[in-house]
Amino acid sequence: MSFVNVKKQYLALGMMIFVLLFLINNNKPAFQCQFNQEEPVYLPTIYGITPTYARLAQKADLTRLSQTLMLVKNFHWIVIEDSETKTKLVENLLKESGLKYTHLNVKTHKSKHSTASGVEQRNLAMDWLRGHLKSVEDKRGVVYFMDDDNTYSLKVFEEMRKINKVGAWPVGIVGGMRIEMPLVTDGKVTGYNAVWKPFRPFPIDMAGFAINSTLFLDKPEAKFSRKVQSGFQESEILKYFTTRDQLEPLADNCTKVYVWHTRTQKPSIIDVKKLKHPVPVFDSIEV
Ligand SMILES: *[C@@H]1O[C@H](CO)[C@@H](O)[C@H](O)[C@H]1NC(C)=O
Ligand SMILES: *[C@@H]1O[C@H](CO)[C@@H](O)[C@H](O)[C@H]1NC(C)=O
């Protein structure tokens, strides 16, 4: 064996070891990469149920809300118009938002006994949701009843993904108070601070709780009702799913406000057609 041949064999062996090390190393990518590929973080779907009705500030309100929702991962927006037919305004807004959405409509049947809004719309949304959940494999998620003019921090969505059955948290500026919320002792709900109709079974606002979506299949009879007095819709739906002291307190044991019951002021508009010196009218432009 000549010296040159020995050198060549060592060289080949060295190269083989190099290639082997390269392959082994390639199988062990950076930690984060491996984490994303093999153990994706599970994010339950949030189903936001939003009744809406035609009014001058509707597009402004829906624009603001939809642009919050664009920042929420794994979100499905169920928007129900209080109307005989779906409007182009809402249809276009939903399409352009890029959100995952379901667009429904049903006209309200108000009577002199019940002026509650959103009853038929939320019930229709729950019917749709039950059908949808039956058709999908992963039924996990949470249902949140959202007004179209409230203000939502992104943090409220992070909180509700932790829900086991029904979670609750404080709501800002509602019921005549700075904060309306469950009172929490040792991590358990022990009471409520509401002063408006405190005798309600659940004296909390619609924006202050969310419900595990799988429970909607367990309780097919759960729905809102026109038969209850004003302010009792929250209690009406919650009674199917939980009890006063079983609510899961979120938002750091109900010490943080992540949602506000803001109301958009009704705009007062001048009828420019009736002015002595008329100004141009732009009726064809959507506002
Ligand atoms: C809801 O309930 C289901 C079934 O018990 C459970 O698997 C899931 O983790 C719960 N929470 C959420 C947010 O889906
Ligand atoms: C809520 O309070 C309980 C009991 O004091 C505590 O164990 C838990 O860590 C608290 N949770 C948060 C998120 O602060």
Side-chain angles (χ1 to χ4, degrees):
M1 217 194 280
S2 76
F3 178 68
V4 175
N5 271 345
V6 172
K7 252 180 105 181
K8 268 186 186 160
Q9 278 168 354
Y10 276 127
L11 203 70
L13 201 73
M15 272 171 76
M16 263 170 70
I17 290 169
F18 180 81
V19 166
L20 219 78
L21 280 174
F22 180 80
L23 284 174
I24 289 167
N25 221 29
N26 233 16
N27 282 339
K28 276 193 210 151
F31 172 72
Q32 196 162 12
C33 207
Q34 190 179 27
F35 187 71
N36 283 346
Q37 283 171 358
E38 292 170 18
E39 268 184 83
V41 180
Y42 174 68
L43 270 190
T45 305
I46 296 173
Y47 297 97
I49 295 182
T50 304
T52 187
Y53 64 96
R55 60 192 187 275
L56 195 45
Q58 183 184 32
K59 192 177 181 186
D61 285 336
L62 288 175
T63 297
R64 187 176 53 229
L65 177 53
S66 68
Q67 292 182 356
T68 295
L69 299 178
M70 287 173 199
L71 302 171
V72 183
K73 288 196 192 82
N74 230 357
F75 185 88
H76 188 137
W77 200 15
I78 307 171
V79 177
I80 323 92
E81 290 193 72
D82 180 355
S83 59
E84 302 285 2
T85 54
K86 295 183 179 73
T87 65
K88 275 271 170 266
L89 187 149
V90 175
E91 193 180 312
N92 289 336
L93 189 134
L94 288 171
K95 253 186 220 154
E96 286 168 21
S97 73
L99 290 166
K100 188 170 187 183
Y101 69 87
T102 298
H103 185 190
L104 306 169
N105 69 286
V106 58
K107 186 92 187 126
T108 293
H109 312 293
K110 276 187 190 166
S111 70
K112 56 178 186 287
H113 306 292
S114 166
T115 55
S117 54
V119 172
E120 290 79 4
Q121 290 75 28
R122 293 188 184 105
N123 284 345
L124 179 66
M126 289 190 287
D127 286 346
W128 178 87
L129 182 68
R130 286 185 178 104
H132 170 74
L133 290 175
K134 276 178 199 158
S135 74
V136 294
E137 205 173 310
D138 189 354
K139 300 168 188 350
R140 289 175 298 177
V142 288
V143 176
Y144 189 33
F145 297 104
M146 309 176 70
D147 286 0
D148 63 1
D149 56 351
N150 283 349
T151 305
Y152 302 90
S153 162
L154 297 178
K155 290 178 181 167
V156 79
F157 303 102
E158 289 172 25
E159 288 300 307
M160 67 182 74
R161 291 195 219 261
K162 302 173 190 166
I163 284 174
N164 187 29
K165 285 188 157 179
V166 183
W169 47 82
V171 178
I173 41 183
V174 67
M177 303 182 80
R178 290 175 64 244
I179 313 173
E180 204 182 67
M181 62 179 194
L183 302 172
V184 179
T185 321
D186 296 332
K188 288 235 171 248
V189 174
T190 50
Y192 300 87
N193 75 335
V195 293
W196 185 66
K197 301 193 179 180
F199 47 86
R200 290 175 288 166
F202 293 91
I204 56 177
D205 186 75
M206 207 67 86
F209 65 87
I211 302 169
N212 189 324
S213 57
T214 58
L215 295 182
F216 283 80
L217 291 179
D218 300 341
K219 304 275 179 196
E221 71 280 16
K223 60 175 168 43
F224 292 94
S225 165
R226 287 229 158 263
K227 294 197 178 107
V228 300
Q229 59 164 298
S230 103
F232 278 64
Q233 292 298 341
E234 293 85 354
S235 301
E236 186 60 19
I237 197 72
L238 283 170
K239 74 175 188 197
Y240 292 101
F241 302 115
T242 188
T243 58
R244 267 181 84 119
D245 49 1
Q246 268 183 355
L247 281 179
E248 298 150 30
L250 293 170
D252 285 358
N253 282 321
C254 294
T255 60
K256 297 274 168 35
V257 175
Y258 294 148
V259 56
W260 299 263
H261 193 256
T262 44
R263 313 260 74 183
T264 301
Q265 189 181 331
K266 190 165 188 260
S268 60
I269 298 297
I270 300 159
D271 187 354
V272 292
K273 287 171 195 159
K274 286 187 183 154
L275 290 178
K276 221 185 256 167
H277 303 288
V279 294
V281 177
F282 298 100
D283 277 346
S284 61
I285 299 182
E286 190 179 89
V287 176

